[in-house]
């Protein structure tokens, strides 16, 4: 019996022992093409020598120094790298160990900002239903996925949730994309009015929704309207790019494609590509300056913030992405993956929406394409497809609760940026085999 408290105690996991580019290899020698990056993490695959060497060099010099005593060269260099490439207005970076921590830091920083500028009444946070922002209590409360929240509801702070920008299910048949976006913006405005404009602290959203909806981008113009509303009422805009950021959608920051700049941005997964645990909260100059002009002290912290080895690994990852021009490759491979997905699944009787950007794609599974009716959740379609794909030698990221937190199934794809064209064929072929096996097509 394993003494590890695994994610699921009724499941037997294969033992991963090696990585080879986009493949993971288990103890029996089986190879699995990682078409989801684990959870959109492993953007450079599993054996990049430049990153491994950077980690070894940093450990040889100094693995760790507590941030209450020292700064470090890797932390300073990584912050410089990110700020130079971040959306306009971002001037500082607060490093943590993962996405949930990054969201927690952003929430606390937003609250402290308003305390520092003399607006202590601002306490409400608005987010969107069917969002996911992490599993720590503040991040879980911010997320709008009912299934993830339900067991812990008594522990969660009060949050307000509005509709997601989910055109496949939310846009009316007679409604243009622009009109749909305007309707959602009006809903946000109405909630702000209900709570009181001077009591709202922040609006939190994923530019491309990942785990809970499956790579759903917003309709054109939606985020511009959201930015306008936040500015009108003095509300901070927090963009959660933990899953969709760091090049995953074809630009370093997903917000670039929306033409807006946030006040706070959270990143993680692709920042360190899985070579070390790391996340970050990117902070606008106005927030940093307000705290610097006031107390000067952010009342928050973790033992491993700014971990020198993690920062060295993340800097190496980002340098590799830039030096090898992998963002252009993401866009090119993304076009190829989209075309293959549409060729294989556009007429599939149980696949009714294919959406995404770059190397971030989702397929929504339905029992009836005419009515968009989901499969009965009791059938466990998403889990069965994951198992069938693993048996075929493919890692993908199926999930349930797409529609309302309980009903609905989708498959998320987020493969490494280093794929070759033949890997795209392998992804789609093996995924098709798994889907057809489970749904008996």
């Amino acid at each position: 019996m394993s003494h590890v408290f695994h994610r699921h105690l009724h499941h037997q996991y294969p033992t991963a022992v090696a990585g080879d580019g986009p493949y993971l290899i288990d103890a029996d020698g089986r190879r699995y093409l990682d078409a989801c990056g684990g959870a959109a993490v492993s953007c450079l695959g599993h054996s990049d020598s430049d990153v491994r060497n950077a980690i070894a060099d940093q450990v040889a010099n100094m693995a760790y120094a507590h941030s209450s005593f020292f700064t470090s060269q890797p932390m300073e260099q990584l912050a410089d790298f990110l700020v130079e490439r971040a959306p306009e207005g971002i001037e500082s970076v607060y490093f943590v160990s993962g996405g949930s921590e990054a969201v927690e830091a952003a929430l606390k920083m937003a609250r402290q900002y308003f305390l520092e500028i003399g607006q202590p009444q601002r306490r409400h946070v608005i987010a969107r239903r069917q969002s996911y922002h992490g599993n720590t209590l503040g991040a879980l409360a911010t997320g709008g996925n009912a299934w993830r929240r339900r067991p812990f509801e008594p522990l969660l702070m009060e949050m307000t949730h509005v509709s997601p920008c989910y055109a496949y299910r939310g846009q009316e048949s007679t409604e243009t994309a622009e009109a749909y976006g305007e309707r959602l913006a009006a809903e946000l405005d109405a909630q702000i009015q209900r709570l009181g404009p001077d009591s709202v602290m922040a609006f939190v959203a994923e530019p491309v929704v990942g785990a809970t909806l499956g790579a759903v981008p917003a309709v054109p113009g939606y985020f511009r309207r959201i930015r306008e509303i936040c500015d009108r009422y003095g509300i901070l805009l927090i963009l959660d790019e933990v899953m969709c950021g760091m090049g995953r959608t074809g630009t370093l920051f997903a917000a670039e494609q929306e033409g807006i700049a946030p006040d706070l941005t959270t990143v993680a997964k692709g920042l360190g590509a899985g070579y070390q645990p790391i996340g970050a909260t990117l902070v606008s100059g106005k927030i940093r300056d307000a705290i610097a002009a006031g107390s000067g002290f952010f009342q928050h912290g973790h033992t491993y913030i700014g971990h020198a080895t993690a920062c060295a690994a993340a800097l190496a990852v980002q340098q590799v992405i830039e030096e090898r021009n992998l963002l252009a490759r993401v866009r090119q491979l993304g076009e190829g993956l989209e075309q293959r997905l549409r060729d294989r699944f556009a007429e599939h009787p149980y696949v009714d929406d294919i959406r995404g950007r770059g190397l971030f794609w989702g397929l929504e599974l339905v029992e009836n394409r005419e009515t968009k009716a989901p499969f009965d959740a009791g059938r466990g379609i998403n889990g069965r497809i994951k198992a069938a794909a693993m048996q075929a030698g493919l890692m993908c990221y199926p999930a349930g609760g797409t529609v309302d937190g309980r009903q609905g199934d989708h498959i998320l794809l987020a493969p490494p940026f280093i794929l070759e064209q033949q890997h795209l064929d392998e992804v789609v072929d093996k995924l098709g085999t798994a889907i057809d096996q489970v749904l008996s097509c």
Side-chain angles (χ1 to χ4, degrees):
M1 184 188 75
S2 172
H3 293 288
V4 175
F5 200 116
H6 286 288
R7 283 175 174 258
H8 199 308
L9 298 179
H10 299 161
H11 185 74
Q12 295 294 319
Y13 296 89
T15 301
V17 297
D20 179 18
Y23 294 91
L24 280 169
I25 304 167
D26 71 15
D28 296 324
R30 295 196 64 198
R31 295 168 66 87
Y32 304 84
L33 179 57
D34 187 356
C36 59
V41 175
S42 302
C43 57
L44 289 185
H46 300 280
S47 58
D48 192 279
S49 59
D50 288 342
V51 181
R52 293 202 312 252
N53 291 338
I55 293 170
D57 290 346
Q58 184 59 45
V59 171
N61 289 322
M62 179 194 70
Y64 167 74
H66 197 283
S67 61
S68 68
F69 296 91
F70 296 98
T71 187
S72 70
Q73 190 175 47
M75 179 163 58
E76 297 288 347
Q77 290 176 337
L78 181 57
D80 289 346
F81 184 99
L82 293 173
V83 168
E84 286 170 8
R85 293 156 180 81
E88 183 180 359
I90 297 294
E91 293 184 10
S92 293
V93 186
Y94 186 87
F95 290 109
V96 291
S97 297
S100 296
E101 286 186 14
V103 171
E104 294 282 339
L107 295 171
K108 285 187 174 181
M109 199 169 288
R111 171 61 180 166
Q112 186 168 335
Y113 165 74
F114 284 113
L115 292 177
E116 300 276 3
I117 65 171
Q119 298 183 30
Q121 77 281 1
R122 289 194 184 261
R123 62 182 183 87
H124 291 293
V125 174
I126 303 175
R128 303 189 296 184
R129 291 187 292 277
Q130 286 303 90
S131 60
Y132 177 63
H133 298 293
N135 264 331
T136 52
L137 289 177
L140 184 62
T142 306
N145 181 268
W147 177 81
R148 295 172 189 261
R149 292 168 52 91
R150 189 169 294 116
F152 310 104
E153 287 280 2
L155 307 179
L156 302 182
M157 61 184 178
E158 178 188 357
M159 290 283 176
T160 298
H161 292 95
V162 295
S163 298
C165 192
Y166 181 15
Y168 172 66
R169 291 194 177 273
Q171 184 177 339
E172 301 291 342
S173 59
T174 58
E175 193 174 36
T176 66
E178 291 74 15
Y180 174 53
E182 285 291 337
R183 175 161 61 86
L184 295 179
E187 180 185 350
L188 173 61
D189 198 306
Q191 285 292 348
I192 293 169
Q193 296 299 329
R194 182 184 68 82
L195 295 167
D198 66 347
S199 71
V200 179
M201 185 172 83
F203 178 70
V204 186
E206 301 164 87
V208 181
V209 183
T212 52
L213 285 184
V216 173
V219 296
Y222 168 81
F223 273 106
R224 287 183 182 272
R225 289 288 291 118
I226 296 301
R227 177 75 269 184
E228 291 170 3
I229 290 169
C230 289
D231 288 342
R232 182 186 312 154
Y233 298 114
I235 296 167
L236 298 180
L237 176 59
I238 302 174
L239 291 185
D240 180 352
E241 297 203 11
V242 166
M243 185 171 267
C244 66
M246 295 290 95
R248 174 57 57 190
T249 63
T251 51
L252 191 60
F253 294 92
E256 295 176 47
Q257 297 172 53
E258 306 299 337
I260 62 166
D263 299 294
L264 293 156
T265 298
T266 59
V267 296
K269 302 177 184 294
L271 176 60
Y275 286 88
Q276 288 280 286
I278 188 168
T281 304
L282 281 71
V283 187
S284 66
K286 76 174 183 180
I287 294 174
R288 182 194 180 281
D289 291 347
I291 295 174
S295 67
F297 172 68
F298 180 32
Q299 193 174 330
H300 183 59
H302 298 283
T303 299
Y304 292 118
I305 63 174
H307 193 284
T309 306
C311 287
L315 179 60
V317 167
Q318 297 308 314
Q319 288 171 335
V320 164
I321 290 172
E322 187 163 278
E323 290 165 4
R324 298 181 195 168
N325 199 24
L326 291 184
L327 294 184
R329 187 173 183 82
V330 168
R331 296 189 290 271
Q332 178 190 37
L333 289 169
E335 291 174 1
L337 180 58
E338 177 184 9
Q339 188 59 56
R340 286 167 172 81
L341 290 172
R342 296 197 185 282
D343 289 346
R344 177 64 176 82
F345 297 110
E347 303 302 321
H348 195 286
Y350 301 120
V351 177
D352 197 33
D353 194 36
I354 301 169
R355 66 274 185 129
R357 288 180 184 168
L359 282 176
F360 200 41
W361 286 89
L363 287 74
E364 185 153 347
L365 306 175
V366 295
E367 189 167 29
N368 186 308
R369 286 179 54 150
E370 288 189 12
T371 64
K372 301 182 181 180
F375 287 98
D376 187 321
R379 293 182 62 181
I381 295 295
N382 61 85
R384 290 163 58 194
I385 289 175
K386 179 180 180 181
M390 284 287 283
Q391 193 63 36
L394 180 74
M395 294 166 58
C396 60
Y397 194 144
T402 315
V403 177
D404 57 9
R406 181 175 181 274
Q407 297 288 337
D409 301 273
H410 68 261
I411 299 166
L412 183 66
L413 299 174
F417 303 171
I418 60 170
L419 293 189
E420 302 292 342
Q421 292 296 325
Q422 69 268 22
H423 294 130
L424 300 180
D425 295 328
E426 184 179 349
V427 169
V428 176
D429 288 347
K430 289 183 174 179
L431 181 60
T433 297
I435 292 175
D436 290 348
Q437 179 182 327
V438 170
L439 298 178
S440 300
C441 295

